Amino acid sequence: MDELISIIVPVYNVANYIEETIASVLAQTWEAWELLLVEDGSGDDSLAVMERCARERQDHRIRIIRQPSNMGAAKARNRGLEEARGRYIAYLDADDLWAPEKLERELRFLREKEAAFVFTGYEFADERGRGTGKVVHVPKTLNYRQALSNTTIFTTTVMFDTARIDKELLEMPTVKSEDTALWFRVLRNGYTAYGLDENLVRYRRGGGTLSSNKLEAMRRIWHLYRRSENLSLPYSAWNFVFWAARAVRRRL
């Protein structure tokens, strides 16, 4: 189905946010989509909220897929990929929000560039989903070497064209920071990521644990360099310095 966009959402303990996220998909100006809500063994009311939304909307484009247990975001996204019927794959985190024109503008951009892999700019949002005014701008293109020191690609902004890239290559590795590991693998295989520098996404961030999150992000990127990408120690350190500088700048 050449017009259909499959939207993959891993769902885990997001009962407070998932209804608003679903609403941002329903508001899209591009209507040829299917929403794959992959319920990953939540311990809260996420499933009940999704079922209520689907029942009230009676929209056949909403599909709820249940994992047998909590298996993690990578396996949830891979399950969605297996179930996807569309030519185009878009990822959406369960607490993030899209602008109404996100799919339409990004798909037009992908087609104009004849690209396999595109991403957009985004804005940080508070816990209520309100934009903070801090917008992350993205480069026109990223290749593998550039991406190693510039992980500006945010999962909720990404779209792939499976007519130009094999779906098997899009399976997320079961490692920490699985999304970044996937971008690295795709780019390492010779693809270029094209950036649409428009703010089409709100990235919701909760408070209270930002310092620990930063330390964990540092550990994860270092492990990706050394274990997943098998980079040398000096080259890992070189990329890490530039990655850290850009990460700090994005949040100032």
Side-chain angles (χ1 to χ4, degrees), residues 4 154 180 190 196 204 206 213:
L4 185 64
F154 174 44
T180 301
L196 174 59
R204 193 193 307 259
N213 287 346

Side-chain angles (χ1 to χ4, degrees), residues 192-203:
T192 297
Y194 288 80
L196 174 59
D197 192 20
E198 296 182 14
N199 175 21
L200 299 173
V201 171
R202 275 179 284 161
Y203 167 30

Side-chain angles (χ1 to χ4, degrees), residues 127 205-213:
E127 197 165 353
R205 294 196 301 169
T209 60
L210 292 181
S211 295
S212 60
N213 287 346

